[in-house]
Amino acid sequence: MTDEIKYYATGSVIPLGDGFTGKSVLSRLVVNPKISDKELNEVLLKTRKSYNIELEFSSEEVITYDQPIITTLQLYVFPGQRQKISDKSTTFDEILNIFDCFPALLKVSVLLLIYDVTKEHTLQSLEMWLRFALVKDWIYKDTLIVLVSNKTDLEPANDETIKQVRDTIYSYIKDHKLPVSKEQIRTIKTSCVKMEGIEELRKMSLEWIAERGIRGVGIRDIEKLGEEEEE
Ligand SMILES: Nc1nc2c(ncn2[C@@H]2O[C@H](COP(=O)(O)OP(=O)(O)OP(=O)(O)O)[C@@H](O)[C@H]2O)c(=O)[nH]1
Ligand SMILES: [Mg+2]
């Protein structure tokens, strides 16, 4: 029966930004936004500086053009640390080199550019992170770029700054002749402490991937479709 066919969509989400901007915590919350207060405190207190890739996955049914699509977010979270601080510590570049051949890292569905609203230098670094994504060829016609202003519980995010940064990102994209429209560059304010913006970011990413991610059809259901065609 054709109405039993299941459609799937998956896409990779990569948060980029300096160390301590909240990439790991935010990613954990995006895949689990219905977290209890107790669990949230644990995540906030116990998340340590990353020295390895962290993988977070989450699936949800999304209705796109009247069709239910089982949509999976695959988050690949890297350390923000780029300088070697000790022999034992690993850097962003070292970890990325190991996972560079990962098919999911060939094209990125959602690129999160994260900065900490209380630390100006983390905003300045975003150009470097964007350049990095470009060099890696991660941005293509189906990439959504989201400027994430995190830690808004500590300080309000400046709307004028956000607008300017969005414009700068778009000029950069245009200068490099990437097929990304201005509507593909979004902005969001988040606070992991107050759980603000988290659901919105999850919804934005899920809807984008349901529409523009890698599509598939359930194998069993393809067989069913085949049987139907034979009838
Ligand atoms: N006040 C506040 N603190 C936050 C927020 N998000 C994260 N933090 C805290 O910021 C610190 C760094 O968060 P992480 O998620 O480890 O940052 P990261 O970007 O993954 O850092 P690296 O792994 O070093 O790249 C932690 O102590 C978090 O609890 C937020 O929205 N508000
Ligand atoms: Mg981290």
Side-chain angles (χ1 to χ4, degrees), residues 149-186:
S149 310
N150 192 33
K151 306 199 186 182
T152 54
D153 52 291
L154 299 176
E155 219 173 86
N158 184 311
D159 288 324
E160 190 49 40
T161 305
I162 292 173
K163 189 182 164 301
Q164 276 171 15
V165 175
R166 181 170 178 250
D167 289 346
T168 309
I169 294 173
Y170 185 55
S171 319
Y172 196 84
I173 293 289
K174 265 202 337 204
D175 288 350
H176 291 84
K177 301 195 170 29
L178 291 171
V180 170
S181 68
K182 194 151 185 192
E183 289 64 49
Q184 276 170 254
I185 305 167
R186 312 243 177 107

Side-chain angles (χ1 to χ4, degrees), residues 94-117:
E94 286 168 340
I95 296 300
L96 187 72
N97 281 342
I98 300 169
F99 291 94
D100 223 5
C101 55
F102 243 48
L105 295 183
L106 295 179
K107 300 281 178 222
V108 173
S109 289
V110 184
L111 185 71
L112 305 177
L113 293 173
I114 305 187
Y115 73 101
D116 172 342
V117 294

Side-chain angles (χ1 to χ4, degrees), residues 17-26 43-51 54 77-81 114 116 150-154 190-194:
D18 284 356
F20 217 69
T21 50
K23 299 178 296 297
S24 297
V25 169
L26 190 78
V43 171
L44 286 166
L45 290 173
K46 292 194 178 160
T47 303
R48 296 274 171 262
K49 190 174 179 60
S50 312
Y51 288 114
E54 292 156 5
V77 192
F78 292 97
Q81 182 74 41
I114 305 187
D116 172 342
N150 192 33
K151 306 199 186 182
T152 54
D153 52 291
L154 299 176
T190 56
S191 163
C192 296
V193 170
K194 291 195 172 168

Side-chain angles (χ1 to χ4, degrees), residues 5-228:
I5 292 172
K6 282 196 167 63
Y7 291 93
Y8 297 88
T10 58
S12 46
V13 182
I14 303 207
L16 287 181
D18 284 356
F20 217 69
T21 50
K23 299 178 296 297
S24 297
V25 169
L26 190 78
S27 301
R28 260 160 225 166
L29 301 181
V30 164
V31 296
N32 185 18
K34 304 246 179 320
I35 197 165
S36 69
D37 288 351
K38 186 169 171 278
E39 285 170 316
L40 173 62
N41 274 335
E42 295 250 310
V43 171
L44 286 166
L45 290 173
K46 292 194 178 160
T47 303
R48 296 274 171 262
K49 190 174 179 60
S50 312
Y51 288 114
N52 206 339
I53 192 167
E54 292 156 5
L55 310 182
E56 309 281 349
F57 290 76
S58 176
S59 289
E60 190 177 313
E61 191 174 277
V62 176
I63 310 288
T64 303
Y65 303 119
D66 286 337
Q67 193 178 61
I69 297 169
I70 299 163
T71 307
T72 305
L73 300 177
Q74 306 177 8
L75 282 104
Y76 296 84
V77 192
F78 292 97
Q81 182 74 41
R82 294 204 72 184
Q83 311 301 326
K84 196 104 180 140
I85 46 175
S86 76
D87 285 348
K88 287 198 182 106
S89 75
T90 41
T91 64
F92 170 82
D93 301 84
E94 286 168 340
I95 296 300
L96 187 72
N97 281 342
I98 300 169
F99 291 94
D100 223 5
C101 55
F102 243 48
L105 295 183
L106 295 179
K107 300 281 178 222
V108 173
S109 289
V110 184
L111 185 71
L112 305 177
L113 293 173
I114 305 187
Y115 73 101
D116 172 342
V117 294
T118 68
K119 295 202 174 77
E120 170 76 20
H121 68 90
T122 64
L123 182 63
Q124 302 304 332
S125 296
L126 289 185
E127 194 185 331
M128 180 274 288
W129 289 111
L130 182 60
R131 199 175 338 120
F132 189 87
L134 204 110
V135 168
K136 284 282 163 198
D137 236 357
W138 280 349
I139 303 170
Y140 75 122
K141 69 174 182 39
D142 291 326
T143 305
L144 179 72
I145 300 173
V146 189
L147 172 67
V148 183
S149 310
N150 192 33
K151 306 199 186 182
T152 54
D153 52 291
L154 299 176
E155 219 173 86
N158 184 311
D159 288 324
E160 190 49 40
T161 305
I162 292 173
K163 189 182 164 301
Q164 276 171 15
V165 175
R166 181 170 178 250
D167 289 346
T168 309
I169 294 173
Y170 185 55
S171 319
Y172 196 84
I173 293 289
K174 265 202 337 204
D175 288 350
H176 291 84
K177 301 195 170 29
L178 291 171
V180 170
S181 68
K182 194 151 185 192
E183 289 64 49
Q184 276 170 254
I185 305 167
R186 312 243 177 107
T187 64
I188 197 163
K189 296 174 189 173
T190 56
S191 163
C192 296
V193 170
K194 291 195 172 168
M195 287 298 287
E196 282 169 1
I198 310 290
E199 277 275 17
E200 194 190 332
L201 181 57
R202 175 184 170 87
K203 194 164 175 276
M204 193 190 279
S205 307
L206 276 167
E207 284 175 358
W208 182 264
I209 291 172
E211 225 177 282
R212 315 250 314 234
I214 299 162
R215 288 289 198 98
V217 180
I219 291 170
R220 262 210 198 135
D221 301 312
I222 288 175
E223 283 168 9
K224 271 187 200 148
L225 187 65
E227 280 165 21
E228 239 175 48

